[in-house]
Amino acid sequence: MPRILIVEDNPINMKLAARLLEYAGHEVLQAEEATAGLCLARERQPDLVLMDIMLPGMDGVAALGELRADPATAHLKVAALTSYAMKGDRERLLEAGFDGYFAKPIRHKEFLAGVAGLLAGNPEAEQGRDR
Amino acid sequence: MQATSPVSPEQSSPRSAARYFVPALLLFAVVWLMPASPQLFAPADYLILHNFLEFFAIAISVMVFAYGWSAYGASQLRAVTVIAAGFLAVALIDLAHMLSYTGMPDFVTASSPNKAIHFWLMARLVAVLSILAVVLGRFPQRAYGPRSRLALFGSALVVSAACYYLVLFQPQLLPLMFVPGAGLTPLKIGLEYALIALHLAAMLLLVRRPGRSGLPGESRLVAALGIMALSELCFTLYTNVHDGFNMLGHVYKAVAYYLIYRSVFVASVRLPFQQLKASEAALKQSEGRMQNTLDNLIEGCQIIGPDWRYLYLNRVAVKHARLPLEALLGRTMMEVFPGIEQAAIFAALQRCMERRAGERVETEFVFPDGSRAWFDLHIQAVPEGLFVLSSDITERKLSEQVREHDMRLAFLRADVNEALGQGKSPELMLRRCMDAISNYLGGACACVWTSGQQALELRAAAGDCPPQLRDRIERVEAGEHEAGLVAHTRQPAVETRILEHSGQSGEADAFAGHPLLIGEELHGVMGAYLPAALAEDAMEAMQAVAAGIANALVRCKVEEELRALNADLEQRVAERTLQLEAAGRELVHKNLQLMTANQLKSEFLANMSHELRTPLNAVIGFSEVLRDGLAGELNPEQKEYVTDIFLSGEHLLELINDILDLSKIETGMMVLDPEPVDVESLLGSAQTIIREKAARHAIRLGLELAPDMTAIEADPRKLKQILFNLLSNAVKFTPDGGRVTLGARRVRRADIRLPDNMPGHFFPLAQAEDDEFLELWVSDTGIGIPQSRFEHLFQPFVQVDSSPARRHSGTGLGLAMIRRLAELHGGTVGVSSSPERGSRFVVWIPYRHAEHASPRLRAELPSAHMPADAVRPQLALIVEDDDRVADAIARQLHKEGYASIRAATAEEGLVRAAKQRPRLITLDIFLPSADGWEFLSQLKANPAIADTPVVIVSVSSDLARGLALGATRVLQKPFTQDELAHALAGIAPRRTSPESRTVLLVADAQHDSDMLATRLMDSDIEVLRAHTGQEALASVRRKLPDLIVLDLSLPGMAAFDLAQALERHPETASIPLLALTGRSLTAAERLRLNGSLLEVMEKASFSVAGFAAEVRRALNDTQARQEDEPCRAS
């Protein structure tokens, strides 16, 4: 059963993402801030990390840098799950090193299909309409 | 002797000689063979004939002589002269022969055969000897001198005279040639043989060494010799002077002489004439070439006679003279250019004319109208007078002059600047400036005066100032002299002949002066004395110097005053300076703040987007989860509320996006991303989006596309946004059953206006270079807009009905956005409306032709435009009662390669379908008696035509019903070509592939499976069956089915495992699944099947007929999707 770590500070949005992933049969790990997320990622080695960008303290892009810097987590797949959905945001984040990109608000079909794609190793799987 | 004259066209050759000789020989043979022919004529008759033939020969001999005598120039060959002399003698002797012939009256002595024969032999001898002389003599090809000619012709006369004397007066000295009764004596015959031998010898010599005679047309001479030999032979053979051989001999003689005459004629008349003509033509040609060359020279070229008349001018020379050719040719230079004698150009011409020499001059020429030009002339004396080559070098000269002047000007500026900048003493400064001006003016006398109390005071002078000017320079009273005048008028002035009235004149006869002015205040005068008035540009340069000097003078004054100011003032100045600096710094700071404000604004927008999306995520996400039953089934009321929340969330998101877009436009952050856009597909896709909503309200959608649309360069997303906003507005504000029409056409800038039939308003177009515009309009039959609202309509958050209980939802941003997007493209918008008749919104976008059609757009059009079997048009049946619609469909089908037949009613349609077996049927639903549904059912009931694909074309979009009844496609009217193409693309493979489609039925309960399979087997579907997941996988591996029908009630999780197993392999993942289930599915179950699940049919609401229709529809969809797939991937 694939294991997915969500790093998201908004508890309601965390709940939404977690439920959807659970419906799809994934094991979900949750972290409300980046440092806790880094810790979980190191110890539990999730198949995919979904990372909010606007986080208290360390933001999502910095957290991605930490993950990539640590040999224990450098190989993990990390996708951005963010409300940054203006034109150019997607390109900016993918360029920063994220493997995928999901714009909030998410739609369950697209979201789960995107997650499945990322888990299947399809590098182009990403979703989100940018504005 | 050389070979024949090289220009001779008549080469002598044995063959051409044979042309004459062989017939003669044949004639001889004929006469020889005639058995009893000797006596041809009566003696009396014969005499006349003989005289005639002889006379003919004499005449020819005389002509030979005449040509030889009068031959002219090069044709006066020695050979001709010799033959001519010989034939003079021949003519005279033959005349005697003729007169002495038997039967003729007495010629001095009585006529007798012997007398005639003596003359005859002598004449023959002279003739053959003269020819032999030519053949053996190898005369050079040139003429005799007049004396030799006279001597030759004289000796011919002497020979003739000798013959006359011998025969007439000393006949006893000559041997007997004819004995009456006995015939010819052996001597006579022997002599004839000797003559034959001489002729043949001459002939053989010529045949062996052609060209020996030096005569053109020698072959005639050869033939003549041969024929003469024959003639002599005849004269040895006759027994009676009246017989055939005698006559033949005379004929031969006449012919031979004629040939000799021809050869002399050719040599002395025809050839020279031809040569003359040829050389004339050659001369003409070379003259023409020469003329042509001169005419096309890039230099002017003219020939001037000794009397100064123009004899020749080529085109360029005429251009140089600036007069028409007629005004020049034949006229003297003085007539054409009066006063030219004074010009330098004429002096040069005169020198060359007098010394008969050449010269090259560069000179300026003043035309009568006063214009000037520089010419580079090559003059050369020639026999006709002067040959002059001219080039217009005015431009070069001018640029040289300009360059030179520029250089002097640059020096002047540099010198003056340096002088003004040295800032030590004003005296030194002024001196140096005057030096500079003097240098600039080539050493002229330059002076500067400053204003004193009463007079101008000379401050500095430079250059060559003649002594006679001294008293005019050193002190100038106000208003006196030139400088005083300048000071008085305060205007730059040019004076000439300033010294004339004083009786003195010299080098410096002109004055150019400038006042030294600062504003209205005069500080002095600057001037220069020159040999002649200054050109304008020099005056300007001096003016600039004067201004500089005036400034410097003031500065010197100010500096002095400044020095006089006390330290306190200095300090105050310093304080003020500090204040100013502080103010400046503040300004810079404010500027920076302004710059960051814009950045802050965009950051704010980004943050707002982020902050609003975060809560919306939960609102939309959770309400969607609830609505889709992922968290358990809801009762209908709950489902309704949850849907409301979801839709409100969507609306809010739309609002946010619109606000962000608008703000982006307002802050200039929105940029267009232009690419080629196909207008027709753009309109089609915009309409497609709105179609469902329109159908819900029974609103008819119309499309009016002008035919001349091509691809344009624009931002397709923004255009789509514009059209979508307009269309959804129109649909929103149109009551049910109304009509919304989308149109596009091309208009010129000048034609941008609204229709006149309704009040309207549009925003003026910004000035730009675009002249052609794409006009997109959407008209509706809606509630209309009051005129007073027109202007506010396109402002943000304005709806016509702004009451709180407004009926129509909308962000109120749509029209504002449309306007901004249109303006961003360089276009504008307009509206016209009346409350009863609805509204018409118009958008104008610059029509910029796309460089090439978008590959993406082209890829979207499937290959249906070129059907695989397009060679033979396929037959389509159009069942439609409206003629115009039928025509339109027929046209569109034609483009897809179909020929069409037509039926106006369902009944007629069924008859035609059965009879003509069309490959495709398009069906309207609303038909006069029996409707489209009825038609469809009856069609499917007839097995022969049940398989014919049916495309429902209707304003109704009851998709499900149409498909359930077995229609292949449903198209909503009106449809675009692309939509039709897509619809037909789904049909095409079915037409072309004979393979039936395969459905894999995976079901556990045996009886269910049987029933379903039986039902499906009625149609052309191959049904494969499997009872477990394992069997199903094995079957799929053997053959990929087009569709899998999966009963979810397989034991355990078999159905779900199977679905996941299929999804793992790319080739099986795309097979659509049709799930059958007896119960509602859980969210998790739905998600597990989500990948390729097409439809879930619940057995509770299950009918066998419905199942078959669903399977058929699923198959058709699959096929269509497979065709779309490659396009989407591209």
Side-chain angles (χ1 to χ4, degrees):
Chain A
M1 192 181 282
R3 180 182 297 161
I4 298 175
L5 167 62
I6 310 175
V7 187
E8 163 72 85
D9 63 323
N10 182 315
I12 302 177
N13 284 338
M14 171 72 93
K15 201 196 303 179
L16 175 62
R19 289 292 173 276
L20 288 177
L21 292 173
E22 281 162 10
Y23 286 145
H26 303 305
E27 181 188 343
V28 177
L29 305 173
Q30 305 182 10
E32 291 191 2
E33 37 128 24
T35 43
L38 293 178
C39 198
L40 271 174
R42 239 189 330 271
E43 283 173 12
R44 307 289 303 277
Q45 294 289 314
D47 298 293
L48 175 66
V49 180
L50 293 173
M51 181 82 77
D52 191 12
I53 300 304
M54 186 87 121
L55 290 168
M58 187 189 297
D59 73 13
V61 179
L64 176 73
E66 294 284 318
L67 284 173
R68 295 282 185 250
D70 184 344
T73 54
H75 62 282
L76 294 182
K77 275 180 205 143
V78 187
L81 174 63
T82 177
S83 295
Y84 281 120
M86 305 255 287
K87 185 171 181 158
D89 284 339
R90 175 175 162 270
E91 287 72 17
R92 184 169 62 83
L93 290 171
L94 290 180
E95 210 161 283
F98 284 100
D99 300 302
Y101 168 82
F102 298 98
K104 293 182 218 169
I106 52 173
R107 302 293 156 83
H108 63 77
K109 276 185 190 157
E110 294 169 0
F111 175 62
L112 292 178
V115 167
L118 279 169
L119 289 174
N122 182 354
E124 281 175 31
E126 68 216 24
Q127 60 96 236
R129 294 168 300 172
D130 48 19
R131 297 294 315 177
Chain B
M1 193 165 187
Q2 309 291 307
T4 331
S5 163
V7 288
S8 162
E10 307 204 10
Q11 287 300 322
S12 121
S13 71
R15 181 176 294 189
S16 53
R19 206 171 60 198
Y20 302 103
F21 182 64
V22 170
L25 207 59
L26 285 175
L27 187 62
F28 183 82
V30 169
V31 175
W32 178 272
L33 291 174
M34 277 201 306
S37 66
Q39 206 69 36
L40 274 180
F41 301 95
D45 298 338
Y46 182 76
L47 182 64
I48 295 169
L49 183 72
H50 175 263
N51 282 357
F52 173 73
L53 288 171
E54 281 299 344
F55 183 78
F56 186 69
I58 291 166
I60 288 173
S61 304
V62 170
M63 271 152 76
V64 170
F65 156 68
Y67 281 126
W69 175 256
S70 53
Y72 172 77
S75 64
Q76 204 179 4
L77 298 174
R78 288 190 179 188
V80 172
T81 313
V82 168
I83 289 180
F87 272 70
L88 172 63
V90 170
L92 291 170
I93 300 169
D94 266 346
L95 180 67
H97 162 72
M98 190 181 82
L99 293 175
S100 314
Y101 208 74
T102 315
M104 288 295 284
D106 286 355
F107 172 56
V108 184
T109 56
S111 299
S112 76
N114 258 316
K115 187 177 165 192
I117 288 171
H118 283 140
F119 276 123
W120 167 263
L121 287 173
M122 284 171 182
R124 297 289 74 72
L125 191 63
V126 170
V128 77
L129 284 179
S130 70
I131 291 172
L132 262 178
V134 167
V135 173
L136 295 172
R138 303 192 170 197
F139 294 114
Q141 279 195 318
R142 53 172 199 267
Y144 279 114
R147 265 194 213 153
S148 313
R149 278 161 58 83
L150 276 178
L152 260 176
F153 286 111
S155 46
L157 289 177
V158 169
V159 168
S160 317
C163 293
Y164 272 57
Y165 175 77
L166 270 178
V167 179
L168 293 180
F169 302 108
Q170 304 290 338
Q172 72 283 357
L173 293 180
L174 300 171
L176 213 56
M177 296 297 175
F178 185 79
V179 181
L184 299 172
T185 61
L187 178 66
K188 147 82 170 149
I189 292 171
L191 281 174
E192 294 282 12
Y193 281 129
L195 280 171
I196 290 171
L198 282 176
H199 278 107
L200 288 179
M203 185 174 99
L204 284 175
L205 278 172
L206 282 181
V207 168
R208 281 190 54 193
R209 297 280 301 276
R212 244 184 126 102
S213 70
L215 284 172
E218 195 182 65
S219 59
R220 287 198 188 84
L221 198 60
V222 173
L225 287 167
I227 293 171
M228 271 309 290
L230 277 182
S231 161
E232 299 301 341
L233 193 61
C234 289
F235 289 118
T236 60
L237 292 175
Y238 73 93
T239 46
N240 188 309
V241 284
H242 311 135
D243 75 4
F245 278 116
N246 189 299
M247 189 206 66
L248 193 60
H250 279 100
V251 170
Y252 279 157
K253 187 185 134 193
V255 169
Y257 278 25
Y258 173 74
L259 287 175
I260 289 167
Y261 152 75
R262 282 292 298 166
S263 94
V264 170
F265 173 77
V266 165
S268 53
V269 178
R270 207 162 85 185
L271 270 184
F273 180 68
Q274 279 167 353
Q275 283 164 4
L276 196 66
K277 264 196 359 202
S279 63
E280 232 172 55
L283 195 65
K284 248 191 186 155
Q285 203 180 357
S286 90
E287 238 175 42
R289 261 201 303 272
M290 189 71 190
Q291 180 91 15
N292 207 12
T293 311
L294 289 180
D295 279 350
N296 290 311
L297 270 184
I298 52 163
E299 280 113 353
C301 165
Q302 45 189 299
I303 298 171
I304 298 166
D307 53 353
W308 303 109
R309 272 177 210 288
Y310 287 107
L311 302 179
Y312 168 80
L313 296 103
N314 73 350
R315 280 185 302 111
V316 181
V318 171
K319 215 168 86 191
H320 284 171
R322 304 187 184 177
L323 285 168
L325 184 61
E326 306 82 67
L328 295 163
L329 266 189
R331 306 181 58 182
T332 66
M333 297 183 84
M334 297 74 165
E335 282 167 0
V336 176
F337 299 110
I340 199 173
E341 295 95 322
Q342 267 74 50
I345 201 168
F346 191 77
L349 290 171
Q350 208 161 23
R351 276 197 301 278
C352 293
M353 191 78 94
E354 277 163 12
R355 295 179 198 158
R356 310 303 303 150
E359 202 170 302
R360 179 176 180 174
V361 282
E362 279 187 8
T363 176
E364 192 178 22
F365 186 72
V366 185
F367 285 93
D369 63 359
S371 59
R372 288 155 180 275
W374 278 88
F375 292 105
D376 179 9
L377 301 176
H378 287 255
I379 310 169
Q380 180 61 51
V382 291
E384 288 86 356
L386 290 179
F387 180 79
V388 183
L389 279 178
S390 57
S391 329
D392 189 333
I393 54 166
T394 310
E395 253 172 59
R396 195 189 84 203
K397 275 286 172 189
L398 285 183
S399 72
E400 273 174 15
Q401 284 174 356
V402 168
R403 257 207 310 280
E404 198 200 323
H405 183 250
D406 283 353
M407 219 158 74
R408 283 196 295 141
L409 203 60
F411 279 129
L412 173 69
R413 285 210 190 99
D415 290 349
V416 169
N417 280 343
E418 199 195 329
L420 295 178
Q422 57 87 24
K424 280 181 186 158
S425 77
E427 300 302 324
L428 188 59
M429 183 263 287
L430 290 173
R431 262 280 309 287
R432 287 198 180 173
C433 285
M434 289 310 107
D435 281 341
I437 288 177
S438 175
N439 279 340
Y440 170 62
L441 297 176
C445 173
C447 311
V448 61
W449 300 267
T450 52
S451 314
Q453 297 295 10
Q454 287 290 310
L456 289 172
E457 231 174 275
L458 182 68
R459 294 288 294 274
D464 180 20
C465 297
Q468 64 264 36
L469 285 175
R470 193 141 296 162
D471 53 333
R472 313 176 72 90
I473 293 174
E474 284 184 349
R475 189 176 168 78
V476 184
E477 296 299 327
E480 199 188 53
H481 302 313
E482 313 79 41
L485 275 173
V486 170
H488 182 66
T489 58
R490 303 189 168 201
Q491 292 290 330
V494 180
E495 302 268 325
T496 50
R497 309 200 170 176
I498 51 172
L499 292 175
E500 203 174 42
H501 57 273
S502 59
Q504 304 166 304
S505 93
E507 297 282 294
D509 206 18
F511 173 79
H514 290 84
L516 305 178
L517 283 172
I518 291 289
E520 288 298 301
E521 196 183 343
L522 181 79
H523 292 274
V525 173
M526 183 190 90
Y529 292 89
L530 304 141
L534 265 188
E536 218 169 285
D537 46 1
M539 282 298 280
E540 273 169 26
M542 300 240 327
Q543 173 105 46
V545 175
I549 292 174
N551 267 324
L553 284 174
V554 173
R555 202 184 60 213
C556 288
K557 230 184 254 177
V558 172
E559 271 169 14
E560 265 168 48
E561 281 164 19
L562 268 179
R563 268 195 291 279
L565 285 174
N566 60 34
D568 180 44
L569 192 58
E570 265 178 33
Q571 198 178 344
R572 260 159 53 195
V573 169
E575 272 169 22
R576 182 77 192 128
T577 312
L578 277 175
Q579 280 171 7
L580 279 174
E581 274 174 4
R585 270 198 299 277
E586 202 174 330
L587 261 177
V588 169
H589 183 63
K590 282 226 169 95
N591 224 1
L592 266 175
Q593 276 183 331
L594 266 177
M595 272 161 65
T596 47
N598 224 10
Q599 190 156 1
L600 285 175
K601 199 166 179 180
S602 65
E603 270 172 31
F604 167 75
L605 286 177
N607 283 336
M608 196 185 74
S609 158
H610 182 269
E611 294 310 317
L612 291 174
R613 277 168 198 276
T614 302
L616 262 182
N617 186 38
V619 174
I620 292 177
F622 279 121
S623 58
E624 195 185 22
V625 164
L626 287 175
R627 188 196 63 175
D628 291 356
L630 295 186
E633 291 296 319
L634 303 180
N635 70 37
E637 198 178 359
Q638 287 168 331
K639 197 160 182 174
E640 186 192 333
Y641 297 159
V642 152
T643 303
D644 286 346
I645 297 174
F646 175 73
L647 289 177
S648 300
E650 290 257 87
H651 186 200
L652 196 51
L653 184 62
E654 233 171 79
L655 261 173
I656 293 167
N657 288 336
D658 278 359
I659 292 173
L660 287 175
D661 276 350
L662 258 184
S663 327
K664 269 194 270 179
I665 296 174
E666 316 258 283
T667 50
M669 285 162 63
M670 169 91 72
V671 281
L672 293 179
D673 190 10
E675 58 182 79
V677 179
D678 183 71
V679 177
E680 191 181 340
S681 350
L682 174 80
L683 265 58
S685 64
Q687 240 188 356
T688 309
I689 302 173
I690 208 74
R691 177 156 300 146
E692 202 181 328
K693 199 170 169 188
R696 269 208 300 279
H697 295 280
I699 292 172
R700 278 165 298 143
L701 291 178
L703 185 65
E704 286 185 19
L705 187 68
D708 54 349
M709 290 295 161
T710 56
I712 67 166
E713 196 78 22
D715 187 330
R717 280 160 292 278
K718 308 285 189 295
L719 289 190
K720 219 178 216 175
Q721 204 175 346
I722 289 175
L723 288 179
F724 177 68
N725 280 351
L726 284 178
L727 284 170
S728 53
N729 263 355
V731 168
K732 201 186 297 169
F733 291 104
T734 300
D736 289 6
R739 182 175 181 81
V740 169
T741 309
L742 169 63
R745 64 190 186 111
R746 292 159 72 163
V747 290
R748 298 257 146 221
R749 175 181 279 271
D751 298 330
I752 289 187
R753 66 171 78 89
L754 293 167
D756 306 327
N757 56 0
M758 287 192 286
H761 176 83
F762 81 96
F763 297 89
L765 199 59
Q767 283 302 318
E769 61 203 37
D770 297 290
D771 184 49
E772 202 181 6
F773 286 79
L774 172 66
E775 182 181 286
L776 299 166
W777 51 268
V778 173
S779 66
D780 59 49
T781 55
I783 54 176
I785 302 159
Q787 207 173 339
S788 58
R789 307 284 309 162
F790 283 169
E791 263 192 73
H792 310 289
L793 209 53
F794 290 94
Q795 286 167 8
F797 295 109
V798 169
Q799 270 195 332
V800 179
D801 178 8
S802 55
S803 62
R806 61 189 185 194
R807 195 156 49 90
H808 308 287
S809 66
T811 64
L813 292 170
L815 288 173
M817 179 89 70
I818 288 166
R819 181 181 166 194
R820 302 291 194 280
L821 288 175
E823 285 170 354
L824 205 57
H825 272 94
T828 187
V829 293
V831 60
S832 53
S833 176
S834 70
E836 282 74 39
R837 295 162 59 189
S839 314
R840 179 188 177 98
F841 285 87
V842 191
V843 175
W844 290 278
I845 301 290
Y847 201 104
R848 295 177 188 137
H849 290 270
E851 297 285 310
H852 50 276
S854 153
R856 190 180 58 81
L857 281 171
R858 254 194 260 129
E860 267 178 9
L861 299 179
S863 55
H865 272 300
M866 192 54 75
D869 42 358
V871 191
R872 189 169 47 86
Q874 313 190 53
L875 196 63
L877 170 64
I878 302 170
V879 186
E880 168 69 64
D881 58 329
D882 187 327
D883 287 349
R884 283 178 308 135
V885 178
D887 284 349
I889 295 174
R891 268 200 304 281
Q892 287 180 309
L893 282 172
H894 179 72
K895 283 193 200 162
E896 300 300 329
Y898 284 89
S900 47
I901 50 175
R902 159 93 191 280
T905 63
E907 294 81 357
E908 187 192 348
L910 285 168
V911 172
R912 303 203 86 165
K915 209 184 266 178
Q916 294 182 277
R917 300 290 180 86
R919 303 292 290 269
L920 172 75
I921 298 173
T922 74
L923 178 63
D924 184 23
I925 294 301
F926 301 112
L927 293 168
S929 55
D931 69 6
W933 307 126
E934 183 70 32
F935 174 89
L936 204 52
S937 314
Q938 295 215 13
L939 183 83
K940 294 293 167 191
N942 181 348
I945 50 175
D947 288 341
T948 314
V950 176
V951 176
I952 294 181
V953 177
S954 175
V955 286
S956 157
S957 67
D958 197 346
L959 190 86
R961 189 169 171 199
L963 295 178
L965 282 169
T968 313
R969 281 284 182 282
V970 175
L971 278 177
Q972 198 181 345
K973 278 195 277 194
F975 51 84
T976 65
Q977 191 72 33
D978 287 355
E979 286 172 304
L980 178 70
H982 270 107
L984 296 183
I987 295 167
R990 190 164 150 188
R991 286 197 316 255
T992 50
S993 95
E995 251 174 70
S996 66
R997 290 161 305 166
T998 320
V999 172
L1000 174 60
L1001 188 59
V1002 191
D1004 175 39
Q1006 190 67 38
H1007 65 277
D1008 267 7
S1009 164
D1010 278 348
M1011 186 188 68
L1012 294 173
T1014 316
R1015 183 64 196 153
L1016 288 175
M1017 269 184 243
D1018 278 359
S1019 46
D1020 56 349
I1021 298 168
E1022 184 192 350
V1023 181
L1024 305 172
R1025 289 161 68 175
H1027 300 303
T1028 66
Q1030 287 306 316
E1031 278 181 38
L1033 281 177
S1035 166
V1036 167
R1037 266 185 229 114
R1038 275 197 303 278
K1039 178 173 185 184
L1040 284 180
D1042 296 301
L1043 178 73
I1044 298 176
V1045 178
L1046 178 57
D1047 188 345
L1048 295 182
S1049 59
L1050 287 181
M1053 292 297 283
F1056 296 93
D1057 290 344
L1058 173 62
Q1060 283 186 334
L1062 289 171
E1063 212 164 318
R1064 273 197 289 275
H1065 291 282
E1067 70 267 30
T1068 54
S1070 58
I1071 304 172
L1073 278 179
L1074 187 65
L1076 291 175
T1077 175
R1079 61 179 169 86
S1080 300
L1081 292 180
T1082 66
E1085 283 169 343
R1086 273 177 184 275
L1087 283 172
R1088 284 187 71 182
L1089 293 171
N1090 222 359
S1092 51
L1093 183 63
L1094 204 62
E1095 184 79 32
V1096 178
M1097 294 193 80
E1098 293 185 6
K1099 284 180 182 166
S1101 59
F1102 188 82
S1103 77
V1104 173
F1107 169 73
E1110 190 59 42
V1111 167
R1112 197 173 289 118
R1113 189 175 76 82
L1115 281 170
N1116 288 339
D1117 279 355
T1118 309
Q1119 216 148 31
R1121 211 167 44 190
Q1122 277 164 358
E1123 262 136 47
D1124 284 353
E1125 220 81 289
C1127 308
R1128 250 186 244 152
S1130 66

